[in-house]
Amino acid sequence: MHRRFIWSSGIIAAGLACVLGANARAQEISTAELAERRTALMTKTSDGIVLLHAKSGPKDMEQPSWIQDATFLYFTGLVNQPSAILVLDGPANQTHLFIPPPPVSFGFAVQNLMLAPSAQTADRLGLDTVQPWDQLSSYLRRRIDNGVGRFYVDESRRPEMPGAPTEMWPIAGEKELWRRSLAHAFPDVVIESARGAIQELRWKKSAAEVEILRRNAQITTHALLAGIRQIRPGATQRETEAAVISGCIEAGGEGPSFWPWTMSGPNAHVDQLVRAFFDYSHLNRTMIAGELVRVDVGCTANSYGGDVGRTIPVAGRFTPGQAETWDLLISAYRKGMEALRPGVTVAGVMAVSRAEVERLAGGMQTQQGRAAATFLLSERGMSVWSIHGVGIDSGETPLDMLVEGAVIAFEPMFEIGDDAFYLEDMIVVMANGYEVLSEGLPYTAQEIEEVMAQGR
């Protein structure tokens, strides 16, 4: 079973005292659910202690808001609390939170931000204790003396850049720095990664998480349509990015879950697009008639992300080759979506999409359409059909097999000649099918052209 949509334009227990800090807890995820997550991770790491570190330091001045470490947030619900440390002691079946002193900003200690270490705070959070930061080392040393010889830590989804040559200590990469700090302080302990266990827990979303992500998908849909309406010859990518950001906030989000990628022409090719992470102008350029634009956007609300995308013609209409290539992608994409259900592998979904390309390949009428079919049927073309998770992070590592409750982004992307093609929806896997959460977006070339015409 699945829901079919047509395009259109159109707890945590309330009431931690204000002394705990504004927005101290992630909304709508209950204390009981957070406790279940911690228990599940301790069960998977029962021979050691999991040590999860909150995000350290202030936000950059250029950032719209401070962003908590996703794994720490997932197991605590604490949106703020910089540098706090969650301890999940498997052998003792206990959970502890260690709170640092208030951070200092511009010479002032930040008031009403940090939780008070107390039994009352621990009770409210569903933890065994909330203790001052400086008691962590003595706690861990006692547990080591009692026979605990293994610590577990999280890892970054992508390799962290150390910021220094290999013969020197890293100066960047919080996950690696945390691991090295523990290894230096406790050289007699084995330190292992809990990343696999954490990924497995985060892959399957609860009913509360699905509802948050359903709203985020609609907020993101609104923002994407707002960005599409700004695409025209002579406009800059920055103008479109500004419309997306505004759209996120207008629709009820806090802002972007990642800075919008509205990459036009050659910028939409992946080997060029990744330069945006290191480019002052975010590869800003003026959009030119005849080009395509990769619009890849996400909005954040309730500390969860979003991620949707489409390919848009700058001039409002696809060329015949672009249209045929795009509609080939849409047909294969929709066929792949029909395979989404629990027990199906990600590779199986990709194979279904590829089989649809094979069925349609002989009917391609344009040179670009034929080239696209040939590429998609090649060995390298199988890598086009990317799937990842969506949750607290807009992009989460997928597991090999779909499960009920998994919220995924299905996002094929490839290049043919000068044009890059990109498509993405947020989808929840249900017991007997799927539901597209990003309802209201156009699919076919004709539908996209109609949306473009409405905005002109």
Side-chain angles (χ1 to χ4, degrees), residues 50-341:
V50 181
L51 294 149
L52 300 177
H53 204 292
K55 180 74 173 179
S56 298
K59 78 176 187 68
D60 293 334
M61 291 289 287
E62 298 81 9
Q63 287 180 289
S65 59
W66 192 81
I67 304 298
Q68 180 59 279
D69 176 81
T71 299
F72 181 87
L73 176 61
Y74 181 79
F75 289 102
T76 65
L78 295 171
V79 175
N80 299 323
Q81 305 308 302
S83 297
I85 300 165
L86 177 67
V87 173
L88 304 180
D89 191 331
N93 194 30
Q94 292 180 346
T95 57
H96 308 282
L97 185 67
F98 291 84
I99 300 294
V104 175
S105 182
F106 291 93
F108 295 90
V110 178
Q111 301 298 314
N112 301 320
L113 176 67
M114 305 308 295
L115 295 167
S118 68
Q120 182 183 35
T121 303
D123 184 62
R124 286 172 171 168
L125 297 177
L127 300 168
D128 288 295
T129 69
V130 176
Q131 304 179 44
W133 208 32
D134 56 11
Q135 294 182 13
L136 173 66
S137 292
S138 59
Y139 173 85
L140 293 177
R141 182 52 60 190
R142 287 195 304 272
R143 298 299 292 131
I144 293 169
D145 292 343
N146 287 332
V148 175
R150 194 177 308 275
F151 290 167
Y152 288 96
V153 295
D154 189 21
E155 289 183 283
S156 175
R157 181 187 176 207
R158 298 182 179 90
E160 295 178 311
M161 298 182 64
T166 54
E167 68 272 13
M168 301 174 66
W169 278 67
I171 61 170
E174 287 209 356
K175 302 293 188 187
E176 178 61 22
L177 290 173
W178 177 229
R179 175 192 281 268
R180 291 205 183 198
S181 179
L182 288 169
H184 177 74
F186 306 99
D188 47 344
V189 172
V190 175
I191 300 178
E192 296 188 5
S193 172
R195 186 64 177 167
I198 292 168
Q199 288 172 354
E200 184 176 351
L201 292 172
R202 291 178 62 179
W203 179 233
K204 178 180 174 64
K205 302 300 188 289
S206 69
E209 289 182 291
V210 171
E211 286 307 308
I212 291 172
L213 289 166
R214 178 177 285 111
R215 289 198 297 275
N216 284 15
Q218 284 302 293
I219 293 169
T220 302
T221 293
H222 175 88
L224 188 146
L225 290 169
I228 287 175
R229 296 186 189 103
Q230 293 299 314
I231 293 174
R232 63 190 183 280
T236 66
Q237 293 175 180
R238 285 295 196 195
E239 292 176 74
T240 306
E241 293 165 10
V244 171
I245 303 301
S246 179
C248 287
I249 297 170
E250 288 171 355
E254 290 292 329
S257 51
F258 56 90
W259 192 261
W261 280 3
T262 57
M263 297 298 180
S264 62
N267 283 355
H269 292 237
V270 175
D271 58 351
Q272 167 74 358
L273 175 136
V274 294
R275 285 188 55 223
F277 287 109
F278 305 95
D279 187 273
Y280 173 73
S281 69
H282 201 243
L283 301 181
N284 187 35
R285 67 188 292 272
T286 299
M287 294 179 277
I288 301 170
E291 293 180 340
L292 300 180
V293 184
R294 172 193 173 117
V295 186
D296 181 4
V297 305
C299 300
T300 181
N302 287 314
S303 296
Y304 280 68
D307 195 6
V308 301
R310 289 296 187 273
T311 299
I312 306 299
V314 172
R317 296 189 67 83
F318 294 95
T319 67
Q322 291 169 346
E324 185 173 54
T325 299
W326 178 253
D327 284 343
L328 173 66
L329 176 62
I330 292 296
S331 295
Y333 181 83
R334 284 175 156 167
K335 187 61 68 173
M337 282 201 295
E338 292 177 8
L340 297 172
R341 58 180 47 84

Side-chain angles (χ1 to χ4, degrees), residues 11-15 25-34 124 207-209 212:
I11 304 178
I12 273 202
R25 304 281 298 267
Q27 299 175 17
E28 301 186 29
I29 304 298
S30 69
T31 302
E33 182 173 323
L34 293 167
R124 286 172 171 168
E209 289 182 291
I212 291 172

